[in-house]
Amino acid sequence: VAANHSKLALPFRRYHINKVWRGENTQRGRYREFYQCDFDIVGTRSVLADLDTLLLMAQAMETLGVAKYTIRLSHRGIFNALLDQLGMQEHSVAVLRAVDKLPKIGEEKVRALLAEVASDTAIDTILQFLVMKGSFAETLENMENLSGDETEGSKRLREIAQNLEELGKLQHFQLDPSITRGLDYYTGVVFETFLDELPEFGSVCSGGRYDQLAGLYTKEDLPGVGASVGLDRLLAALEELGRTGGQGQGTQVLIINFNPAHNGAYLKLAGQLRAVGIATEIFPQKRKPNPQYSYAEKKAIPFVLTLNDEDVANGTASLKDLESGDTQKRSYTRQDYSDDQKLTSRCHIEYTII
Amino acid sequence: VAANHSKLALPFRRYHINKVWRGENTQRGRYREFYQCDFDIVGTRSVLADLDTLLLMAQAMETLGVAKYTIRLSHRGIFNALLDQLGMQEHSVAVLRAVDKLPKIGEEKVRALLAEVASDTAIDTILQFLVMKGSFAETLENMENLSGDETEGSKRLREIAQNLEELGKLQHFQLDPSITRGLDYYTGVVFETFLDELPEFGSVCSGGRYDQLAGLYTKEDLPGVGASVGLDRLLAALEELGRTGGQGQGTQVLIINFNPAHNGAYLKLAGQLRAVGIATEIFPQKRKPNPQYSYAEKKAIPFVLTLNDEDVANGTASLKDLESGDTQKRSYTRQDYSDDQKLTSRCHIEYTII
């Protein structure tokens, strides 16, 4: 973005699902080369970009069939205000790194790490600051009390919480002041995503706002916000949860093959369904119904279409919902499936077979 | 597939868009590592699988905005029948490789290559066999005459041509007996795709039927058919044709931002549009209309939605088509866009904002 900002319409939105390489030392489960899905919005400080990122993370979990997840978030600006208050800004990296380890190593060890740079009183204040109270609002108030006053950061978090509540999503978000994301480049909201049923997997999607990162490469002001899904870890978690069945992710409609003389009609119908985004297969050869229906079942294909001679001549077909067993004779001459809930939820279909 | 056939519902359909590595020597434009898009159907000899593959190739070209393309095809079985007829089956690899070079090196040089394994009469017959006549049917008849008689292969090509004609696609397909695909593993239909405006780019998508390939790894009968797009070459060709503008491939709808107090309504509307597959953005901050419309224009976003106070209260919005300039006030309380041609062509939309 730094190299191409004059050519881009800002804010620039991008995503990337591919291999990435780790600069830090490798460890068990932290490989040199791994798969990541990143998404970022660069070129705006708007709270809407923060919200878009957070809502995308929530939507991704729900699309993956994970209903029980918690996105823990905080704001680096409030933490910085606390360090200012304590006169400890120069030790911010050490403090952030220690605090980031709280869930892993516990309070006592964090206290020991902090003792290298902070007085006992300062350590007490920092640890009080990290406590989660009953609600988002109460935790935020505690953070403001200890860090001095309302700041840009706390206003931003309040606005985010208010919008999440309006959208009925706040129950999935938790204000957790111990979320700091160790990396130096974060400047605003920071967040991590946990699966409630598998907290030991750690965060499966993390990120934050980095308003000065592009400053390494350009004088242009290019504030950004984004997140990354660690795909290997997320997939391992989904396997553990038994959510990798892939049901219904493949073919939507199977056209039953009763007569090779109708191949042209089958292909035309398949082409029209595919053109509107409905994954369609034709059973490859004429066979008795049973093996064809077994194939649909084995592949979890939800609908079958059958065409007899009359259907081919009249532009009709029978649509069978394999879950309910309902069969309806449908005319496909400029008719559509719009009253068919399951199919419309995926796409609107309009076609003619003759 | 050979290792997993008992777990798969056959026929197995797969695709892959990623890096591949070349085993053969590298050359200019033939790199060791390159991007390819493969698609295959394994576990059936059905002509429907051949047709699915050929029609997918045609559809891909049309989706990429290439109207002028020709898929040249032939059948290895007919070529083998010719070699049997000539008593030259043992030299099939040498003959296929020589013939494969015909478009590149011309008849004279192919004749010289063939002279190493064939008599002058045999060479004449082979070269007569390779001639394209006026139509698919006439070329096929010539091939049958020289190779002995109707074969499984020629019946298969006749059936393919008939179905392509029924589907109104035959004009994009040409029977070209010189298409052999040098690789030994092809056993049936073989094909290559040429851009009529850029024949010098060579084939951008090639493949064929390989009914014995899995036999290297299993005794199970796993016939297959498939093709590969060389993405680097295709992209270079599209650039040459000026078809890489990417217009309309991104955001479909921009929600205009007039009032930060409406952020919740903007986000809700965006979420509902995205849920039905419509790429939606909210302009990140409140600004005058001009810069917001300029942004839509710069990103070639075709529609904008505006919501004023009354709209937010009533569940309405104004939808503006930026191409035609038409604006319509729409109610979004369980209403839909189904009478809006451009949007329904992409997806059916149904939502409520309040």
Side-chain angles (χ1 to χ4, degrees), chain B residues 113-133:
Chain B
L113 285 172
L114 289 174
E116 293 171 22
V117 293
S119 68
D120 281 355
T121 329
I123 293 175
D124 286 342
T125 307
I126 291 168
L127 290 172
Q128 275 169 43
F129 177 88
L130 299 181
V131 173
M132 279 189 273
K133 305 287 180 181

Side-chain angles (χ1 to χ4, degrees), chain A residues 1-2 4-13 41-44 220-223, chain B residues 281 283-285 287 291 295 298-299:
Chain A
V1 178
N4 293 287
H5 62 84
S6 62
K7 285 182 258 168
L8 296 168
L10 296 176
F12 174 65
R13 288 158 179 265
I41 306 172
V42 178
T44 178
E220 203 67 25
D221 182 40
L222 292 168
Chain B
E281 278 184 59
F283 195 82
Q285 54 269 324
R287 287 187 73 181
Y295 174 76
K298 195 165 175 189
K299 287 194 72 173

Side-chain angles (χ1 to χ4, degrees), chain A residues 8-11 13 44 46 48 51-52 163 166 257 263-264 267-268 274 281 284-285 295 298-299 348, chain B residues 8-11 13 44 46 48 51-52 163 166-167 257 263-264 267 274 281 284-285 295 298-299 348:
Chain A
L8 296 168
L10 296 176
R13 288 158 179 265
T44 178
S46 171
L48 284 167
L51 281 160
D52 255 354
N163 277 300
E166 267 185 55
N257 189 335
N263 279 354
L267 286 163
K268 195 167 182 181
R274 289 166 179 166
E281 279 184 56
Q285 53 269 323
Y295 175 76
K298 194 164 176 191
K299 288 193 73 174
H348 182 71
Chain B
L8 296 168
L10 296 176
R13 288 157 180 267
T44 178
S46 171
L48 284 167
L51 281 159
D52 255 354
N163 277 300
E166 268 186 55
L167 295 166
N257 189 336
N263 279 354
L267 287 163
R274 289 167 179 164
E281 278 184 59
Q285 54 269 324
Y295 174 76
K298 195 165 175 189
K299 287 194 72 173
H348 182 72

Side-chain angles (χ1 to χ4, degrees), chain A residues 67-84:
Chain A
K68 295 176 185 169
Y69 63 91
T70 302
I71 298 172
R72 295 197 199 147
L73 73 163
S74 187
H75 194 292
R76 286 285 278 268
I78 312 177
F79 209 99
N80 289 336
L82 174 74
L83 294 176
D84 272 346

Side-chain angles (χ1 to χ4, degrees), chain A residues 84 88 91 95 118 142 153 166-167 170 176 189 194 199 222 225 249 278 317 341:
Chain A
D84 272 346
M88 288 183 61
H91 297 299
V95 175
N142 181 57
E166 267 185 55
L167 294 165
L170 191 58
D176 178 351
V189 62
F194 296 87
L222 292 168
V225 60
Q249 292 303 301
I278 296 180
Q341 196 51 39

